[in-house]
Amino acid sequence: MNPLLSHLQPYPFERLRQLFATVTPNPAWRPISLGMGEPKHPTPAFIQQAMIASITSTPSGLAAYPATAGEPKLREAFAAWLKRRYQLDVNPVTQMLPVNGSREALFALTQTLVNPATPDGLAPIVVCPNPFYQIYEGAALLAGAQPYFVASDPARNFAQDWDSVPDAIWARTQLLIVCSPGNPTGAVMPLSEWKKLFDLSERFGFVIASDECYSEIYFRDEPPLGGMEAAAQLGRADFKNLVSFTSLSKRSNVPGMRSGFVAGDAAIMKQFLLYRTYHGSAMSPVVQAASIAAWGDEQHVIDNRALYRTKFAQVTPLLAEVMDVALPDAGFYLWAKVKGKDDDFARELFALYNVTVLPGSYLARDGQGVNPGDGRIRMALVAETAECVEAAQRIVQFVKSRS
C-alpha cells in the first residue's frame, strides 16, 4: 500500500458519525440536517432534458470514448461564460479543460504540480486556508507535500493572515490553494489580497489554485471577484501560475453530474491535460451535453441565488439573536460562534432537537498553536426555506435552554 495513505485524517462527516454514534435523538422532532454542503434545490428541467436528448437523439452519445479535452462546443461554452461573468478573453483550446467536479480536479492538479524531489531534501509545501475543504490537505499529503495552514481572522471578515507566513515557508511552497468565496466562512478576497498573493507567487515561483465553486451564490450587489478577473485587472492577462476552478454543482444544483472546468495558465493546462489523459478522467458525452446547456443559461442561476437570499434573510436574524453569526459575503453556509466546545454543542443539539450541524474544529487544523474552528459551527442552508427556518427556531430554543 502507498504509505502516504496513513497520513490521511478521517473526513469531517466520518468524525460526525462517530460523535453521534451513541446518541439517540429526541423522537419528538423530525430530523433536519444542516451538516452537509450538498445542494438540495431542484435541478432545472432543461438541464435534465439536455442530458436525455443527448442519449436519445444522438446515436453515438454513449458509443464512443470521450476526449479528455472535451468537445470544442463545451470548451467554447466555458469561454463564453467567462466572458459574460468576468469579461475575460480565454482561449478555449489552450487555457481550459473540463473536469469531473472541482474536488476531483483539485486533487489531480496537486498531483500534477507537486515535485517531491526538492534540492534541499525538505518536503515541498502546499499552503492552505484554515479552516478549509479537506481535499486540500489530502491532495497535498498524497502528493508527498506538507500542508501549511494559514488561519482566517474573524476581525477582518475571516481574511487569511498571509503576512504571518514566514519567507522560509514561501520559499518551499509549490502550490497555494485559496477558496473565495470561502468554505466555511463565505469570505470573498478583495483585489488587494489577490495582488499580495500574485506578488508572492512572482517572487517565490509557486502556483495558485483558486477554488471558486461558490462564486454564483452571493448576497451583496456586486458578484464575487474571481482569481482570473483579478489577474486581468492587475495586468496579468497571461494568468501565469494561476489556475481557477469552477463547478456546476452549486451554481446549477447538479452535484450528481460531477461537472466543472479549470482555466488559467496555458503552460499548466498543457501538463494537466497530459496527466488527465493517463488518469482516465474524461467527461461523459451526456454530461458534456447537459453542461453546455447549463453554462449557456443564467436565468436559473439568478432564480437559485434569489432562493438563497430569501432563505438567509429569514434564518440569519433568528440565529443572530442568540449567537455570534452574520450574513456572509457569499456561499450557502453560516459560520457561527458558540459558547463552549463546538462538538459538545453539535452533539447536544442533535440529541435534544434532532438538528445536525458540523463542528467547526472538524474543518480546521491546529496551526501555530491555534485551531480557528474551535468554538464554531458550520450550518449549510441547503434545504428548502421552511425547513431551514424550523431548524433555526430549534437552535434558538436550544441555545436559550443552555444559557
Side-chain angles (χ1 to χ4, degrees), residues 31 38 60 88 95 162 242 270 274 283 298 333 348 355 392 396-397:
E38 180 180 59
S60 62
L88 296 173
Q95 292 182 302
W162 306 116
L242 173 65
K270 181 178 180 180
L274 174 63
M283 183 183 290
E298 288 300 320
Y333 302 114
E348 293 170 18
V355 174
V396 170
Q397 292 181 48

Side-chain angles (χ1 to χ4, degrees), residues 86-359:
Y86 298 112
Q87 295 75 54
L88 296 173
D89 293 308
V90 183
N91 189 315
V93 177
T94 63
Q95 292 182 302
M96 54 184 56
L97 288 171
V99 295
N100 298 314
S102 54
R103 175 175 176 172
E104 174 268 319
L106 284 158
F107 181 88
L109 184 75
T110 305
Q111 312 316 301
T112 302
L113 290 174
V114 170
N115 178 6
T118 57
D120 56 11
L122 297 174
I125 285 176
V126 173
V127 174
C128 308
N130 196 20
F132 63 98
Y133 182 40
Q134 194 158 317
I135 199 67
Y136 307 158
E137 177 189 58
L141 292 170
L142 288 176
Q146 173 185 331
Y148 184 93
F149 301 106
V150 182
S152 64
D153 181 0
R156 296 190 301 121
N157 189 33
F158 300 104
Q160 261 61 51
D161 186 8
W162 306 116
D163 291 335
S164 70
V165 182
D167 281 359
I169 293 295
W170 287 125
R172 290 170 53 197
T173 298
Q174 295 185 5
L175 176 64
L176 164 64
I177 302 177
V178 299
C179 185
S180 178
N183 172 9
T185 67
V188 173
M189 284 175 40
L191 187 64
S192 59
E193 197 167 343
W194 279 110
K195 184 179 187 309
K196 178 180 294 185
L197 296 183
F198 290 146
D199 289 345
L200 287 166
S201 172
E202 193 73 30
R203 179 181 171 193
F204 293 102
F206 57 77
V207 174
I208 301 174
S210 179
D211 181 356
E212 302 173 11
C213 69
Y214 297 95
S215 68
E216 303 313 291
I217 302 171
Y218 53 88
F219 306 102
R220 316 302 184 196
D221 292 335
E222 184 178 350
L225 179 69
M228 293 172 66
E229 182 184 22
Q233 291 180 13
L234 294 169
R236 300 172 59 92
D238 61 351
F239 312 120
K240 180 182 177 182
N241 280 342
L242 173 65
V243 178
S244 289
F245 298 72
T246 192
S247 164
L248 288 174
S249 295
K250 282 81 175 175
R251 173 188 182 272
S252 300
N253 297 306
V254 288
M257 265 177 49
R258 312 311 304 133
S259 177
F261 71 88
V262 298
D265 187 328
I268 295 175
M269 289 295 102
K270 181 178 180 180
Q271 296 302 311
F272 195 32
L273 174 59
L274 174 63
Y275 177 92
R276 298 183 68 74
T277 300
Y278 280 83
H279 192 209
S281 51
M283 183 183 290
S284 163
V286 298
V287 174
Q288 291 192 51
S291 299
I292 291 170
W295 289 116
D297 180 82
E298 288 300 320
Q299 187 57 52
H300 77 284
V301 184
I302 295 170
D303 295 341
N304 187 50
R305 187 160 54 242
L307 288 175
Y308 281 111
R309 287 181 168 183
T310 298
K311 190 184 313 183
F312 273 74
Q314 294 186 39
V315 170
T316 308
L318 284 174
L319 295 175
E321 292 179 4
V322 296
M323 60 174 58
D324 181 3
V325 66
L327 185 72
D329 293 338
F332 52 44
Y333 302 114
L334 287 175
W335 183 236
K337 184 75 173 173
V338 298
K339 292 181 179 179
K341 295 182 61 178
D342 49 287
D343 53 355
D344 286 345
F345 184 100
R347 184 173 58 247
E348 293 170 18
L349 174 64
F350 178 67
L352 296 175
Y353 287 91
N354 213 348
V355 174
T356 300
V357 298
L358 193 63

Side-chain angles (χ1 to χ4, degrees), residues 53-71:
S54 74
I55 299 174
T56 59
S57 64
T58 308
S60 62
L62 294 175
Y65 287 113
T68 303
E71 292 299 319

Side-chain angles (χ1 to χ4, degrees), residues 4-19 103 132-138 141 149 358-365:
L4 296 175
L5 288 168
S6 64
H7 298 308
L8 298 179
Q9 299 201 36
Y11 222 63
F13 304 109
E14 171 59 22
R15 295 180 66 185
L16 191 66
R17 187 190 67 79
Q18 295 173 8
L19 180 70
R103 175 175 176 172
F132 63 98
Y133 182 40
Q134 194 158 317
I135 199 67
Y136 307 158
E137 177 189 58
L141 292 170
F149 301 106
L358 193 63
S361 59
Y362 291 8
L363 295 164
R365 295 286 181 266

